[in-house]
Amino acid sequence: MCDTCGCNVTAGNHHLLEEGGRLARTPAGGESLAVLKGLLDANDHAAAHNREHFDRHGVLAVNLMSSPGSGKTALLEATIDALAGELGLAVIEGDLDTENDARRIRARGVPAVQISTGTACHLDAHMVHDALHALDLGALDIVFIENVGNLVCPASFDLGQHRNVALLSSPEGDDKPAKYPVMFRAADLLLLTKADLIEVLGDFEPQRAIGALRALANPAAAFALSSRDGTGIDAWLAWLRAALRQCRDGGMRPRPAATPRAAAAAGEAG
Amino acid sequence: MHELAVCQALIEEVEAIAENARAGAVTDIHVGIGPLSGIEWALLRDAFPIAAAGSKARDARLHLHRKPVTVHCNECGRDSAAAANRLLCAYCNNWRTQLVGGDELLLERVCLEHCAEEID
């Protein structure tokens, strides 16, 4: 502990500090200043701004998070094929490098903005804000944000999305929610992708993955899906349509589960 | 990893506070971190000198305070301690709980030093 700023204050000597309220003198004559501010407040502020943009246009924003190679882009391709002509879609792609994913989306006639993060392992709200300027939200119903493939970092950054969708592909193993609790606790929907491989693999138990999700106190819907053979695609589309309805009814102003709630509450109290 | 980005946000915030208080230097920074914040303790510590270089906090000591994971049970109404990947009620084993602590990522306190003369 430090000897100068008063952090070694205990219940027994706390009254010594109270005279100055939140501001107390340190023995060395400096100031000790209570702050209680979230470290990601600047990002969260930008995220709230993004969410206002989406809300104003009645656009549902869905953040897709998973490891690299779990089938995010393949799911988007299948989604575009199924919803073409029914809903206006756009995709914001986050990758360290290349325009490969954006090209795959554009090839299906849907606008895609590629964010190249360089060495950054996640998208943040400012990057998404810049990307939004390249999209005509008035012409859209759903914007998908395909986050950087990573089960760790993206979960800490609110982007302004309405819903988080986590993908867990069967080759990754059914214990991933227990290994990466921050990410899977934030999910509003868990898709067990590459379901067509479950039979081949033999050791992936969807119920074990769902059990690990429940152990994170997460009540989110979860089901198996294969973009290749179409398993679960109807359930996914029904979930999307329901989320869009909720978004339009104005009943949904959700703080995504990823936003640290306890920290936010402490910040408000302070 | 994203700890450097978080550390840069921390330094920006601390610098603004020091600027506002017309302080010469930041001597101590106290941060509260819960295991469910997604921030790795050791990586944040490693990132700190890089983010702090050239700022008023360049010589500051970083104090990390670990926050416990606590859940509130929606069934029995009691609070209990939990593991980060097992957020069940310790009393009735129910999974329908709410997190009440453990996802903090908070700047809690900064200690400032006032210089007799400001030297840039």
Side-chain angles (χ1 to χ4, degrees):
Chain A
M1 302 298 279
C2 75
D3 298 321
T4 55
C5 77
C7 64
N8 41 12
V9 173
T10 64
N13 62 14
H14 184 257
H15 63 282
L16 297 172
L17 279 174
E18 283 179 352
E19 198 179 308
R22 288 165 63 102
L23 193 72
R25 291 282 147 190
T26 70
E31 273 178 351
S32 174
L33 200 56
V35 184
L36 279 185
K37 200 162 186 232
L39 290 192
L40 292 172
D41 273 9
N43 180 77
D44 293 348
H45 187 76
H49 183 63
N50 291 348
R51 197 170 283 117
E52 281 168 20
H53 271 305
F54 290 126
D55 287 343
R56 198 174 310 132
H57 293 95
V59 171
L60 173 71
V62 177
N63 180 29
L64 299 178
M65 299 190 285
S66 77
S67 339
S70 60
K72 292 188 292 299
T73 313
L75 173 66
L76 287 175
E77 288 172 326
T79 308
I80 290 165
D81 290 348
L83 294 178
E86 177 189 336
L87 295 173
L89 309 176
V91 180
I92 297 173
E93 291 281 354
D95 278 298
L96 269 60
D97 211 340
T98 82
E99 288 244 345
N100 294 353
D101 287 355
R103 253 186 240 125
R104 282 170 63 181
I105 299 300
R106 287 181 200 129
R108 284 178 149 74
V110 162
V113 184
Q114 180 77 48
I115 303 175
S116 294
T117 60
T119 56
C121 48
H122 60 273
L123 292 178
D124 69 24
H126 298 99
M127 298 179 199
V128 170
H129 182 258
D130 291 345
L132 284 183
H133 285 302
L135 293 175
D136 175 14
L137 289 181
L140 297 173
D141 299 296
I142 303 177
V143 170
F144 294 100
I145 304 167
E146 184 179 339
N147 218 310
V148 178
N150 179 338
L151 284 180
V152 185
C153 313
S156 294
F157 294 84
D158 185 6
L159 306 176
Q161 73 274 24
H162 296 103
R163 288 286 187 263
N164 286 319
V165 176
L167 284 72
L168 168 57
S169 66
S170 54
E172 295 173 64
D174 50 31
D175 59 348
K176 282 291 176 292
K179 287 181 171 171
Y180 300 92
V182 179
M183 166 73 61
F184 288 97
R185 199 176 75 81
D188 299 302
L189 173 69
L190 175 64
L191 297 176
L192 304 170
T193 55
K194 305 193 182 179
D196 50 307
L197 295 179
I198 291 176
E199 205 179 312
V200 186
L201 294 164
D203 58 357
F204 184 92
E205 289 285 345
Q207 278 313 315
R208 267 208 298 263
I210 294 169
L213 186 72
R214 298 290 175 255
L216 301 175
N218 190 338
F223 51 84
L225 180 142
S226 166
S227 302
R228 189 176 289 177
D229 70 17
T231 304
I233 291 290
D234 285 344
W236 158 242
L237 298 176
W239 183 90
L240 273 179
R241 291 189 185 102
L244 179 61
R245 265 198 310 277
Q246 270 181 289
C247 182
R248 297 254 160 103
D249 289 348
M252 182 165 70
R253 291 288 181 272
R255 303 286 300 156
T259 309
R261 295 188 201 110
E268 281 158 24
Chain B
M1 288 294 123
H2 63 305
E3 279 76 3
L4 183 58
V6 169
C7 221
Q8 282 162 340
L10 166 69
I11 295 297
E12 267 176 43
E13 187 56 49
V14 166
E15 282 243 276
I17 290 167
E19 209 64 56
N20 206 28
R22 298 175 188 281
V26 180
T27 57
D28 295 89
I29 300 172
H30 294 265
V31 174
I33 302 179
L36 284 169
S37 68
I39 294 298
E40 203 48 60
W41 185 279
L43 293 179
L44 191 67
R45 205 172 265 298
D46 288 347
F48 181 74
I50 301 166
S55 77
K56 281 180 192 278
R58 61 186 173 272
D59 297 320
R61 281 165 292 191
L62 178 66
H63 307 268
L64 301 179
H65 304 283
R66 205 180 292 266
K67 301 291 173 181
V69 177
T70 311
V71 295
H72 175 80
C73 180
N74 294 337
E75 284 294 318
C76 75
R78 284 186 281 190
D79 289 356
S80 55
N85 63 0
R86 205 171 160 75
L87 303 173
L88 308 182
C89 172
Y91 297 101
C92 65
N93 215 33
N94 175 33
W95 66 265
R96 293 180 187 276
T97 63
Q98 277 181 322
L99 195 76
V100 291
D103 62 350
E104 296 89 344
L105 184 53
L106 276 179
L107 173 58
E108 294 186 330
R109 182 173 284 274
V110 293
C111 303
L112 308 172
E113 200 172 71
H114 289 280
C115 293
E117 318 160 43
E118 286 280 4
I119 303 162
D120 279 317

